[in-house]
Amino acid sequence: MLLTIATTHSPATDLGFLLHKNPDNVQSFDLPFGTARVFYPEAGAERCQVALLLEVDPIGLVRRDKGSRDNMPLEQYVNDRPYVASSFFSVAIAQVFRSALSGKCEARPELVDTAIPLEATIALLPCRESAGFLTGLFEPLGYEVEAVRHLADDKFREWGDSPYYTLTLRGVKRLSELLAHLYVLIPVLDNAKHYFIGPEEMEKLIRHGQGWLASHPLKEKIAHRYLRRRRSLAREALARLVDDADDQDEVEEKQSTAEEALEAGVVAESPSEPGRKITLNEQRLESVVDALKAIGARRVIDLGCGEGKLLKVLWKVSAIEKMVGVDVSYRALEIAHDRLNIDELHDRQKERIELIQGSLTYKDKRMEGFDAATCIEVIEHLDPFRLTSFERVVFQYARPMAVILTTPNVEYNAKFETLPAGKLRHNDHRFEWTRAEFRSWAEAVAARYGYSVEFRPVGEEDEVLGPPTQMGVFCR
Ligand code: SAH
C-alpha cells in the first residue's frame, strides 16, 4: 500500500514541517499489523513529495486474528490485504501523521491553516462500485479526481478489469483536511470487515468528519460504511456532525447578518427606478452590472461568489452567455446552488452557469478565458500576505479583459453609529482600506500587469468620508 502526497506550495519542502518528517531521512514505524515507512521521492523548493509505504504482515495478521475465519483457511493467507489501501492505511495515517492530521505544527503555525496545492495518489484502492463512486466521494470535497482502473491480469486481458484503482486527487486544501478525507474515505471503500466497530470508531468518524461530512452529498453512505453498517452508530454520528455544522454556519451567518444590518441603514434611491429605495448591497450589484454592460462582457467569472447574489442578478442579463462562480467555501456554493435553482434548470440553461470550488490565491486554468472577472467584497477577506498571489492569479494568469472589484471604504465606518471606532464591518475582514490605500494598491497592480484602472463610488457619498463602498474597474 502506497500513498504519496505532493505540493508545489513554495517552499515545497515546508511539507516536511507540516508532517513533522524530515525530507532527508527514511523513517520506519512499527504498527500492530506491519511496518510503515515514510520517505521523500522528491524534495525540491518547487515541488516536494512524501511517500507513506505500508507493508502489512499477512502471517502476523492471521496469527492475531486466530479463529475468526476458520471456515476459509486459505483466504487467511491469500488475500489482497498486503497490497491494497484498506482500513489499516487509515490507522497508519493516524499514527504516523498524527500531528498533521490534527492540524498541529509549531514550526509553521500559519501554514497549518493555509490551503495549499496538493496532489495525493493512492495505489491501490479497491472499489467494487464503478469509478463514479470514487468521483462521488471526492469531487464534492473540491478535488479533481483521476481514477485509473487496473486489469485483473495484464498478461490475460480477456480476464477483464479488476476492482482495483490508482486514485489521484488534486486540490487546494489544508494538509489536515486532505488527511482527514483520506482517513475517513479509504475505509469506506474497504469491504473487508476485520476489526470490531464500536463507539470509539464513531468518535473517530465525528472527529475527522468535522467541517465536511455533514454537508457531503453521500454522508449517509459514508457513515454507514465507515461504521461497518452499524446503523444506530451511523445515525448518531451524523446527527452530532450536523449539529456541529449548524452551529458553525450559525456563527458565520450571524457575522454576515451583522454586516448586512450595519449596511442596511445606507439606503439610496435607485438610479434606474426613481422613487424606489435600494440597500447598499443592491446598489453595489447594480453598479457592477452597469459596469459589465458598459464593457459588453459576455463571459463573466465571479471570484469569491459566496452565496451567489451577483450570479442571481446576472442570470437575468441576457447579454451574458456564460457565468461561473468560484468560491473556496463548499457550504457557500451549496447555498448558491439552491438559490439559483440549478437543479430545476434544463440542460441548455445548465450550460450557462457553473459553480466551482477553488481558491483565488492559486493559479487555476478554469479561471482563464473570460471577458470580465468580478470580485465583490472579497479581497478584504484575504490575509494581506496573500494579496500578491491573488494579484498574479487574477491579473497575470486568468487575465480577463476587465476586472471589477469592490471593497469597503474604511473612512465611511465613522458613520455607522453602532460600530465601535476602529472595528471592521465583519469579523472575518483582515483589513479595510481608505480611498487612498485602495487607489495606491489598485494603481500599482494595474501598472504591473498592463491594465488601466478607474475608480467609482458606490452608494451615497459623504462629502468628507466618501462613499460606503469603493469600486475599481480595471481594463486591458
Ligand atoms: N461576493 C459575494 C461574497 C462576499 S463574502 C457577495 O458579494 O455576496 C467573501 C467570499 O469570499 C466568501 O464567500 C468566502 O468564502 C470567499 N473567499 C475568501 N477567501 C477566498 C479565497 N482565497 N478563494 C476563494 N474564495 C474566497
Side-chain angles (χ1 to χ4, degrees):
M1 300 183 215
L2 178 69
L3 163 71
T4 60
I5 299 174
T7 185
T8 49
H9 173 82
S10 159
T13 40
D14 272 358
L15 186 62
F17 288 109
L18 279 175
L19 290 167
H20 298 245
K21 301 283 173 285
N22 186 338
D24 295 333
N25 303 336
V26 176
Q27 292 182 57
S28 290
F29 303 84
D30 284 330
L31 300 171
F33 41 80
T35 309
R37 280 179 233 285
V38 177
F39 55 95
Y40 289 74
E42 193 181 347
E46 302 278 305
R47 192 181 138 96
C48 180
Q49 187 189 46
V50 67
L52 171 64
L53 177 69
L54 180 61
E55 287 164 305
V56 170
D57 167 15
I59 310 284
L61 267 188
V62 172
R63 298 217 172 104
R64 227 172 36 105
D65 208 18
K66 226 176 177 143
S68 66
R69 291 189 204 166
D70 285 345
N71 47 358
M72 291 187 74
L74 204 58
E75 205 215 303
Q76 295 180 353
Y77 296 96
V78 186
N79 60 44
D80 62 7
R81 298 286 94 199
Y83 315 109
V84 166
S86 72
S87 315
F88 295 131
F89 217 85
S90 286
V91 178
I93 289 175
Q95 303 248 331
V96 175
F97 297 146
R98 189 195 313 263
S99 314
L101 176 63
S102 55
K104 286 193 203 115
C105 177
E106 274 162 23
R108 295 285 183 283
E110 74 294 341
L111 203 54
V112 168
D113 295 324
T114 307
I116 59 175
L118 292 170
E119 181 181 296
T121 300
I122 309 167
L124 297 164
L125 203 54
C127 173
R128 317 248 157 214
E129 287 88 351
S130 67
F133 185 52
L134 287 172
T135 323
L137 287 179
F138 289 97
E139 254 184 21
L141 299 169
Y143 296 99
E144 199 186 295
V145 178
E146 192 185 315
V148 178
R149 190 165 189 170
H150 294 278
L151 290 170
D153 191 321
D154 48 17
K155 292 201 189 68
F156 300 96
R157 297 193 156 255
E158 63 279 13
W159 290 2
D161 286 333
S162 73
Y164 302 117
Y165 290 81
T166 294
L167 175 72
T168 302
L169 305 171
R170 294 185 190 90
V172 178
K173 295 274 153 206
R174 282 178 280 123
L175 181 65
S176 58
E177 270 179 301
L178 169 68
L179 292 174
H181 295 154
L182 295 176
Y183 178 91
V184 171
L185 296 178
I186 289 175
V188 164
L189 289 158
D190 181 8
N191 267 331
K193 179 177 168 185
H194 45 77
Y195 59 90
F196 174 73
I197 287 284
E200 221 179 279
E201 300 308 316
M202 181 187 75
E203 294 303 330
K204 286 181 195 159
L205 178 64
I206 292 173
R207 188 156 67 241
H208 299 299
Q210 209 79 255
W212 62 274
L213 186 52
S215 57
H216 195 294
L218 296 179
K219 59 174 182 272
E220 276 89 11
K221 196 161 189 173
I222 294 170
H224 189 217
R225 288 237 192 153
Y226 182 93
L227 296 168
R228 305 281 148 214
R229 303 181 165 75
R230 296 263 317 256
R231 233 172 255 286
S232 56
L233 287 182
R235 224 178 292 128
E236 187 181 336
L238 282 179
R240 281 174 48 189
L241 278 165
V242 170
D243 277 354
D244 285 351
D246 286 351
D247 288 351
Q248 190 50 36
D249 288 340
E250 224 169 80
V251 174
E252 277 166 29
E253 270 154 32
K254 266 194 196 130
Q255 286 174 11
S256 300
T257 325
E259 186 182 12
E260 268 165 35
L262 200 63
E263 292 185 346
V266 194
V267 285
E269 191 163 312
S270 157
S272 52
E273 274 178 71
R276 193 169 81 89
K277 293 273 179 234
I278 59 173
T279 64
L280 180 56
N281 184 50
E282 287 171 309
Q283 295 170 58
R284 210 156 32 217
L285 295 178
E286 236 182 74
S287 309
V288 175
V289 173
D290 287 346
L292 285 171
K293 285 184 181 158
I295 295 159
R298 290 195 297 206
R299 294 173 53 81
V300 178
I301 183 159
D302 188 23
L303 306 172
C305 64
E307 299 174 1
K309 287 185 194 147
L310 177 63
L311 293 170
K312 181 122 188 140
V313 178
L314 295 185
W315 185 256
K316 300 201 199 94
V317 181
S318 56
I320 295 177
E321 292 163 6
K322 173 88 187 179
M323 61 194 81
V324 174
V326 187
D327 205 284
V328 76
S329 156
Y330 187 71
R331 171 84 188 135
L333 290 174
E334 266 192 333
I335 298 175
H337 183 99
D338 289 346
R339 252 196 197 196
L340 294 156
N341 286 323
I342 292 189
D343 287 333
E344 323 286 78
L345 301 177
H346 51 72
D347 291 350
R348 282 268 306 281
Q349 289 175 315
K350 272 188 188 145
E351 281 170 20
R352 192 173 165 227
I353 188 158
E354 205 180 324
L355 297 176
I356 56 183
Q357 192 181 26
S359 169
L360 307 180
T361 50
Y362 287 99
K363 184 176 157 186
D364 190 334
K365 276 218 158 343
R366 298 173 299 176
M367 296 182 198
E368 293 172 17
F370 290 89
D371 302 326
T374 49
C375 191
I376 311 308
E377 307 294 286
V378 174
I379 56 167
E380 62 276 11
H381 291 266
L382 303 178
D383 288 317
F385 69 89
R386 296 230 172 84
L387 275 180
T388 325
S389 313
F390 165 82
E391 293 158 27
R392 294 185 62 186
V393 167
V394 176
F395 293 90
Q396 181 178 344
Y397 297 118
R399 225 169 154 64
M401 296 304 294
V403 179
I404 299 165
L405 191 145
T406 74
T407 192
N409 162 22
V410 72
E411 295 164 78
Y412 194 90
N413 287 5
K415 299 216 9 149
F416 296 124
E417 280 162 16
T418 53
L419 188 69
K423 197 163 180 313
L424 304 181
R425 295 183 200 182
H426 190 294
N427 276 354
D428 188 50
H429 285 182
R430 310 298 156 95
F431 59 86
E432 284 172 3
W433 279 333
T434 62
R435 282 166 294 173
E437 283 168 329
F438 178 50
R439 191 176 271 274
S440 84
W441 172 79
E443 281 170 350
V445 170
R448 199 168 310 133
Y449 298 102
Y451 283 75
S452 64
V453 58
E454 234 182 73
F455 299 95
R456 297 183 198 160
V458 177
E460 231 151 340
E461 274 191 274
D462 179 272
E463 259 175 51
V464 181
L465 305 170
T469 298
Q470 33 191 352
M471 176 161 101
V473 180
F474 301 77
C475 289
R476 70 175 168 99

